[in-house]
Amino acid sequence: MSLPDFKLLRPRDLADAVGQLNQHAGNIRIIAGGTDLLPSMRQKLFDSQYLLDIRHIAELKGVRSQSDGAVAIGALTPLTAIEHSDLLRRQYPVLCEAAMTVASPVLRNMGTIGGNICLDTRCLWYNQSLAWRKSCGFCIKKDGDLCHVAPSSTKCWAVFSGDTPPALLCLDAEIEIASAAGVARMRLSDFYTGDGIDYRKLQPTEMVTRVILPASSVGYRGGYRKLRIRGSIDYPLAGVAVVMKHSNGHVEGVRIGLTAVNPAPVLVRGVTEILEGKSLTEELAEAAGDLAARTAKPLTTSSLTPEYRREMIRVFTKRALLTLSSN
Ligand SMILES: Cc1cc2nc3c(=O)[nH]c(=O)nc-3n(C[C@H](O)[C@H](O)[C@H](O)COP(=O)(O)OP(=O)(O)OC[C@H]3O[C@@H](n4cnc5c(N)ncnc54)[C@H](O)[C@@H]3O)c2cc1C
Ligand code: SF4
């Protein structure tokens, strides 16, 4: 499968990059590591005239402590650097755990945290070659007018399938978004829309520049569990991130984030009410698992059944909670 023709733009710095986005708005795509974008372009899912290659903008790379105790991660930081960062492992272990499960080592060397956050949603009927989609019939997400997964729906249910966003949601992360008008901050939980097509709140003239992890999320133990077919490389088909803090044997704080079972990564609501102030038992972990499974709304967008993926959310949540409480 060949790539469509495009012009590659290489901005010198951030100001140049947002200027180019402004100039070519609607006909330009950002390329970071390219590990998701280039295969999608080969499948003719995107055909922008311009690609904005941001890989040479040094100010977008690196993990840095801030004066207020927060940590800022440049959007271009490779996932490998996140996986191996001592600072992140010490302060936000759940993020390192999630990053180390993305794809394979080679893809983590190229793939960036910004690309992982901005990842397109996925579906069996969409992530296919042009010939495949033509023969089976196009769908609402690209070139068609019906949904093969939910034929009575006018909405696309393609799933968000990045591994780090559920961990970032558990850490109450914010992102910085730059445009020609300046830089704005947004909580990551407000970034995703829950729609399979317009899945993120990012204008064509904007780009994600940094991820900010607050000081208030330091000190949580964390774990990430992921269901996939090939253990060495695949996207998640269900994923659970859990962070937990203890005090005197009781749960002082807990958050659970899910991925690959909804059109957006989501936090499980109501888990604090079930667990906080209590000593974690198998029954309580089971109850939290049930709640997580009810939050997951998988459909037939991937090669494993929705029932199995939802069940694994329940099992992963329970196991992750019990593991964190026993360490
Ligand atoms: C075989 C294979 C297996 C994979 N497995 C996994 C997996 O297990 N888990 C997983 O999470 N991912 C997986 N991926 C997808 C991908 O490798 C990662 O998500 C990676 O983090 C994407 O980052 P990137 O820099 O390569 O993004 P790119 O491919 O460069 O970009 C992805 C999208 O984000 C946009 N974008 C990138 N950076 C920015 C920015 N700073 N601001 C605004 N928009 C931006 C691009 O325009 C594009 O739409 C897999 C990919 C392949 C090919
Ligand atoms: S959920 Fe429906 S509209 Fe969305 S990509 Fe899949 S088949 Fe297409």
Side-chain angles (χ1 to χ4, degrees):
M1 282 183 286
S2 60
L3 281 169
D5 288 341
F6 58 84
K7 280 188 187 143
L8 191 67
L9 304 174
R10 289 221 159 110
R12 294 177 305 278
D13 52 28
L14 186 55
D16 191 10
V18 292
Q20 302 271 14
L21 282 177
N22 226 19
Q23 190 181 340
H24 303 291
N27 204 6
I28 185 166
R29 274 200 173 253
I30 293 169
I31 179 165
T35 59
D36 192 68
L37 185 69
L38 290 176
S40 300
M41 287 178 66
R42 285 184 195 282
Q43 293 177 323
K44 311 293 184 288
L45 295 173
F46 304 120
D47 49 10
S48 305
Q49 198 182 343
Y50 297 95
L51 282 193
L52 188 73
D53 176 4
I54 57 173
R55 278 176 300 176
H56 304 286
I57 307 180
E59 63 200 279
L60 296 181
K61 290 182 193 160
V63 178
R64 291 181 189 88
S65 292
Q66 308 293 287
S67 54
D68 62 355
V71 169
I73 308 175
L76 259 188
T77 309
L79 293 165
T80 306
I82 289 169
E83 180 185 347
H84 296 297
S85 159
D86 289 337
L87 175 64
L88 293 177
R89 190 156 288 281
R90 222 172 29 248
Q91 298 200 2
Y92 308 101
V94 69
L95 179 59
C96 302
E97 283 237 348
M100 69 190 276
T101 72
V102 173
S104 65
V106 173
L107 288 167
R108 291 198 291 278
N109 286 343
M110 289 296 290
T112 64
I113 186 92
N116 202 240
I117 289 171
C118 294
L119 206 57
D120 191 11
T121 54
R122 296 183 64 78
C123 175
L124 268 182
W125 297 90
Y126 171 70
N127 297 100
Q128 304 288 353
S129 68
L130 178 61
W132 193 102
R133 286 181 288 121
K134 209 178 208 171
S135 62
C136 287
F138 295 116
C139 71
I140 307 173
K141 187 155 162 77
K142 175 82 182 146
D143 299 331
D145 55 9
L146 64 89
C147 173
H148 299 287
V149 167
S152 57
S153 171
T154 51
K155 177 183 164 178
C156 166
W157 295 92
V159 274
F160 182 83
S161 306
D163 283 303
T164 65
L168 292 169
L169 289 179
C170 287
L171 296 172
D172 205 12
E174 293 186 328
I175 53 174
E176 274 183 8
I177 295 177
S179 69
V183 175
R185 261 203 203 192
M186 183 190 276
R187 291 182 73 186
L188 187 65
S189 53
D190 293 330
F191 184 58
Y192 299 104
T193 63
D195 179 85
I197 298 173
D198 292 321
Y199 59 96
R200 55 186 184 178
K201 290 183 195 151
L202 192 73
Q203 298 302 317
T205 50
E206 295 176 332
M207 64 186 280
V208 176
T209 50
R210 295 202 302 172
V211 183
I212 316 290
L213 305 175
S216 56
S217 293
V218 174
Y220 280 82
R221 293 177 191 168
Y224 181 68
R225 307 238 167 173
K226 163 173 178 174
L227 178 69
R228 54 181 161 180
I229 293 178
R230 298 170 297 179
S232 56
I233 194 164
D234 276 334
Y235 288 86
L237 298 178
V240 180
V242 177
V243 297
M244 192 157 69
K245 213 180 229 179
H246 274 104
S247 171
N248 298 325
H250 291 82
V251 178
E252 195 186 285
V254 60
R255 291 181 210 133
I256 300 172
L258 308 182
T259 192
V261 282
N262 298 79
V266 287
L267 279 176
V268 176
R269 295 192 192 287
V271 70
T272 309
E273 288 77 357
I274 294 180
L275 299 182
E276 226 163 80
K278 298 182 187 145
S279 167
L280 191 81
T281 59
E282 185 138 357
E283 290 69 34
L284 285 175
E286 183 89 39
D290 286 344
L291 191 61
R294 284 201 299 277
T295 307
K297 306 272 184 263
L299 296 173
T300 54
T301 50
S302 69
S303 49
L304 295 178
T305 64
E307 293 78 12
Y308 181 56
R309 286 159 62 213
R310 191 182 302 110
E311 175 61 9
M312 288 313 292
I313 290 286
R314 194 182 67 75
V315 171
F316 282 158
T317 304
K318 180 181 170 186
R319 284 186 192 158
L321 284 168
L322 291 174
T323 304
L324 288 181
S325 74
S326 65
N327 285 337

